[in-house]
Amino acid sequence: MESYNQLLPERTREELPLPILAVQVTNFINGGIAIGTTSQHAAMDGIGLMRFIETWCAVHQGKDAQVMPVHDRSVISFQGHEEVSKRFVEFLAPKLSNISQRPSDNTLESRLEMVRKMFVLSEVSIKSLKRQVVEKSSTSIPVPSTFQVVTAYLWACIAKTKGLSYNDELTYLCFVTDCRHTLNLSVTSAYIGNCIYGTRAELTGSILASTDGLVQATVATARAIKKAKSEPLKGIQTLKEYKSLPEGLKVFVSGTLRFYDADFGWGKPERMEFMATNNHDVQVFILAGKEKRTIQVSLGLPKSEMDVFTDIFVNDLDAATCSSL
């Protein structure tokens, strides 16, 4: 993992103003380049970053952007929006003028203890998971979305890896959903600021690790998504709840975005990875894969757990590949 971190630009977090975006281009001795970016989440969410890169690619090729990015935050306007914004600022940055390093386990020692792997789920694998959920469910449920079933499967596999088969403590699956089309505000998809809602699903470790774990996890994930879409303005409450969650496994999932469509004129990328600091028990990144109708999953675990996870994760899939970073 350390070699991949060297492809990212360094940023200081100790003084204002913080840079919104930093870019580092690395030329490899045997040909090829790596473009590493670090962005400030306070300025843009994942979809915003993707829209920016799409425009960057078009300009680099001398083309007109299909959609010009919009960063006018006034497009997100609703009754009481100023009060909601104030509450977010007070909660997330109570002492904005005092910038201090956020506590992190991102030391060289801890990074060397971690192993990161990328898994690619084929269309066959994804359909197989969906079929398992529908066939094993004791009640009639709709066919789950790809995001629902993949995140549910990951959650269940991680619980088994952590040895939670007989643990009745709650575990948490945390993720964000895009709110651009759920606020009835006609927020353009070109908006590159933040317009997301944090939500979570929760189940005990014993349920997740059971034979019915995939079904229960999929249902819980679908329920969390439905709640997020119906109550998007309760995000500040969700943040407070997340901060106060009791001890228990917390899996944070980010995705699914189409960064493999980025083309600066040299062809599409051979490899795309997120290398964010792991401030959660398990951080998982899900991307639309390089090949059509595939999904790329990347996560980091301690060396002692990664082999166990790999065996569990690949065992129930009809066709999947994995590689280490």
Side-chain angles (χ1 to χ4, degrees):
M1 288 178 64
E2 185 60 24
S3 60
Y4 274 77
N5 282 313
Q6 293 176 11
L7 302 177
L8 297 174
E10 293 186 2
R11 292 186 308 164
T12 176
R13 298 174 55 92
E14 300 175 347
E15 59 184 31
L16 292 174
L18 295 174
I20 292 177
L21 181 73
V23 179
Q24 174 180 312
V25 179
T26 303
N27 288 294
F28 297 123
I29 295 176
N30 295 324
I33 66 170
I35 300 177
T37 65
T38 57
S39 60
Q40 182 58 250
H41 212 319
M44 68 184 79
D45 56 26
I47 291 178
L49 177 61
M50 185 175 67
R51 294 283 180 262
F52 172 80
I53 291 178
E54 287 173 350
T55 305
W56 182 12
C57 288
V59 172
H60 194 271
Q61 293 188 59
K63 299 178 181 178
D64 292 331
Q66 292 184 351
V67 180
M68 287 301 295
V70 174
H71 203 281
D72 180 6
R73 295 188 178 184
S74 67
V75 301
I76 303 179
S77 179
F78 51 87
Q79 186 174 2
H81 69 93
E82 292 182 352
E83 179 60 26
V84 171
S85 298
K86 180 181 177 182
R87 288 163 60 195
F88 265 99
V89 171
E90 289 176 346
F91 179 71
L92 294 173
K95 298 179 180 180
L96 188 59
S97 59
N98 298 323
I99 301 298
S100 60
Q101 287 293 99
R102 182 171 54 184
S104 173
D105 291 331
N106 200 30
T107 62
L108 176 60
E109 181 181 357
S110 65
R111 288 199 300 265
L112 291 177
E113 292 176 353
M114 298 289 287
V115 174
R116 192 175 179 88
K117 275 192 176 182
M118 179 188 79
F119 300 83
V120 177
L121 280 68
S122 68
E123 183 181 13
V124 173
S125 297
I126 297 167
K127 286 184 176 179
S128 174
L129 290 174
K130 292 180 179 181
R131 185 171 60 253
Q132 289 182 50
V133 170
V134 174
E135 293 177 350
K136 292 182 179 181
S137 176
S138 58
T139 59
S140 178
I141 62 174
V143 177
S145 69
T146 295
F147 178 81
Q148 289 170 10
V149 76
V150 171
T151 53
Y153 184 62
L154 280 161
W155 189 16
C157 289
I158 291 169
K160 294 176 184 177
T161 300
K162 297 286 186 178
L164 302 181
S165 299
Y166 302 101
N167 192 317
D168 289 329
E169 292 184 359
L170 286 174
T171 70
Y172 306 93
L173 176 72
C174 308
F175 55 94
V176 296
T177 60
D178 179 26
C179 291
R180 285 165 175 78
H181 304 294
T182 60
L183 292 173
N184 297 320
L185 300 175
S186 299
V187 178
T188 172
S189 59
Y191 177 66
I192 66 170
N194 282 289
C195 193
I196 52 179
Y197 175 96
T199 189
R200 75 176 190 273
E202 54 186 53
L203 287 172
T204 64
S206 57
I207 289 177
L208 276 174
S210 69
T211 55
D212 196 38
L214 176 60
V215 175
Q216 295 298 326
T218 303
V219 171
T221 303
R223 188 183 302 120
I225 293 173
K226 182 178 180 180
K227 179 181 178 181
K229 290 183 177 180
S230 63
E231 301 176 337
L233 298 183
K234 289 191 176 181
I236 183 64
Q237 186 61 37
T238 302
L239 278 174
K240 290 181 177 179
E241 291 173 357
Y242 179 78
K243 288 282 188 178
S244 61
L245 285 178
E247 290 297 319
L249 175 66
K250 300 178 184 69
V251 179
F252 194 91
V253 177
S254 300
T256 50
L257 302 170
R258 298 185 178 278
F259 282 101
Y260 274 105
D261 289 338
D263 185 350
F264 287 89
W266 317 308
K268 295 184 178 181
E270 289 296 318
R271 183 76 172 257
M272 169 67 199
E273 284 288 351
F274 277 91
M275 298 298 294
T277 300
N278 190 357
N279 290 315
H280 312 279
D281 292 337
V282 183
Q283 176 88 53
V284 182
F285 293 101
I286 299 178
L287 296 174
K290 182 180 177 183
E291 305 299 330
K292 289 185 178 180
R293 292 182 288 278
T294 64
I295 293 293
Q296 175 180 312
V297 174
S298 299
L299 76 160
L301 287 171
K303 292 179 181 179
S304 60
E305 296 181 353
M306 183 57 81
D307 289 342
V308 177
F309 174 83
T310 300
D311 289 341
I312 294 172
F313 186 81
V314 176
N315 183 57
D316 290 335
L317 297 178
D318 293 332
T321 60
C322 67
S323 62
S324 300
L325 272 86

